[in-house]
Amino acid sequence: MTHIGRLGLGVRLDCRGVGVGEQLLAEAIERAFSIGLIRIELEVFATNRTAIRLYERSGFISEGRKVAAWILDDLADDILLYALLKAEQGAAANP
């Protein structure tokens, strides 16, 4: 399993909407693949549409859904599973 990396990314509220997440994600992808990883996995809340759009624009592919995987104050949210393979990264950048 040493060929796989798990991505966790967060951007402070006061830094959102100005491209910080996009820059962080691009750097994380580049570094992960430069050290020999060939697959990057992540999980994202289904209600986090902004992050989902960013991941999909960056080439991440949906691989599944954990239904009601997170519950807070009696409100459930699904967790979506995404992955990016090094072999597919260039194709996503040049559709």
Side-chain angles (χ1 to χ4, degrees), residues 18-41:
V18 294
V20 171
E22 191 170 358
Q23 291 174 340
L24 287 171
L25 181 59
E27 181 67 20
I29 292 169
E30 191 278 322
R31 286 186 185 197
F33 290 152
S34 75
I35 64 168
L37 298 179
I38 62 169
R39 178 182 169 87
I40 303 169
E41 300 175 341

Side-chain angles (χ1 to χ4, degrees), residues 48-85:
N48 192 345
R49 297 301 311 156
T50 301
I52 292 166
R53 283 191 300 274
L54 172 61
Y55 298 139
E56 290 177 350
R57 268 197 327 269
S58 299
F60 282 82
I61 303 299
S62 174
E63 293 191 327
R65 175 184 291 260
K66 297 179 184 180
V67 177
W70 184 77
I71 298 175
L72 180 63
D73 296 330
D74 294 325
L75 297 174
D77 200 351
D78 295 353
I79 293 177
L80 307 180
L81 312 173
Y82 278 82
L84 175 66
L85 298 176

